[in-house]
């Protein structure tokens, strides 16, 4: 069974520090996503990435956030200056296409705690 | 506004019972996922459907486009089915809009 892998599984960081969350999507997938889930709340969309550029982003995804696919296998989410409210589980996901019967695969998540 | 609502929020049942979790959405969708979230947090897609019905083992998912409603059924429930089940929909774009989830507990 193919899988999306994420690192780190858990990170604690000081407020104001930069954080990079890493993901290795499934190799033949073309669409990549970041979602987040604040404790006790719904999962929320952050950003989608296709053909080496952002294809859609939410209002949460402000200038403090950026995504990159630096080497053709990794997909990263950077938070430049973390705030307490960035504490959440961050999920990376990938899919072959958006629809067309192809499902989406999620990683196990990276739990970010900002103190 | 694109919204996904689920019910119930919590469901506790005895092993062997037939389980139904409901999902309704506000406007037309392209497709809908039923997802399972384990206690550790990982999310797995169980079904993606845009019409009709799909079955995988003891799990059945149905969708009624006209009524903007989908259901997830579990037959012969087992304690290992205990998890959070989430309905999430594509409203004509690339992002999934998630429901709040249903926490299912199956008691032996």
């Amino acid at each position: 069974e193919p899988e999306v892998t994420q690192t780190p599984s858990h990170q604690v960081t000081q407020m104001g520090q930069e954080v990079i969350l890493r993901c290795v999507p499934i190799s033949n997938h073309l669409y990549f996503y970041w979602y987040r889930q604040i404790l006790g709340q719904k999962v929320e969309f952050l950003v989608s990435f296709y053909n080496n550029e952002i294809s859609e982003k939410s209002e949460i995804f402000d200038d403090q956030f950026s995504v990159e696919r630096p080497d053709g296998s990794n997909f990263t989410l950077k938070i430049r200056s973390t705030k307490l409210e960035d504490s959440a589980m961050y999920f990376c996901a990938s899919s072959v296409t958006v629809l067309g019967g192809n499902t989406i695969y999620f990683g196990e998540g990276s739990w970010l705690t900002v103190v | 506004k694109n919204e996904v609502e689920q019910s119930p929020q919590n469901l506790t049942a005895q092993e062997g019972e037939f389980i139904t979790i409901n999902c309704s959405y506000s406007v037309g969708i392209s497709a809908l996922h039923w997802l399972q979230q384990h206690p550790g947090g990982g999310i797995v897609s169980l079904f993606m459907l845009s019409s009709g019905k799909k079955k995988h083992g003891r799990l059945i998912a149905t969708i009624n486009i006209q009524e903007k409603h989908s259901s997830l059924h579990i037959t012969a429930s087992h304690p290992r089915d205990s998890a959070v089940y989430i309905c999430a929909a594509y409203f004509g774009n690339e992002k999934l809009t998630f429901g709040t989830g249903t926490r299912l507990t199956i008691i032996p």
Side-chain angles (χ1 to χ4, degrees), chain B residues 8-13 18-21 102-106:
Chain B
Q9 284 193 307
N10 293 283
L11 178 57
T12 299
F18 181 81
I19 303 299
T20 296
I21 300 170
T102 295
R103 184 174 299 277
L104 175 66
T105 304
I106 303 297

Side-chain angles (χ1 to χ4, degrees), chain B residues 3-76:
Chain B
E3 288 184 337
V4 176
E5 300 288 339
Q6 279 185 246
S7 63
Q9 284 193 307
N10 293 283
L11 178 57
T12 299
Q14 291 290 131
E15 183 174 354
E17 285 190 39
F18 181 81
I19 303 299
T20 296
I21 300 170
N22 295 299
C23 174
S24 59
Y25 46 88
S26 52
V27 294
I29 62 170
S30 309
L32 179 146
H33 278 275
W34 279 102
L35 306 154
Q36 183 187 55
Q37 186 169 29
H38 296 287
I43 297 173
V44 174
S45 176
L46 300 171
F47 296 102
M48 176 177 169
L49 62 166
S50 54
S51 64
K53 176 179 174 178
K54 287 190 177 179
K55 184 176 191 292
H56 186 256
R58 295 181 293 106
L59 302 178
I60 303 164
T62 63
I63 189 167
N64 184 319
I65 299 296
Q66 287 74 27
E67 294 189 3
K68 300 187 181 61
H69 181 268
S70 177
S71 293
L72 177 69
H73 306 285
I74 305 175
T75 61

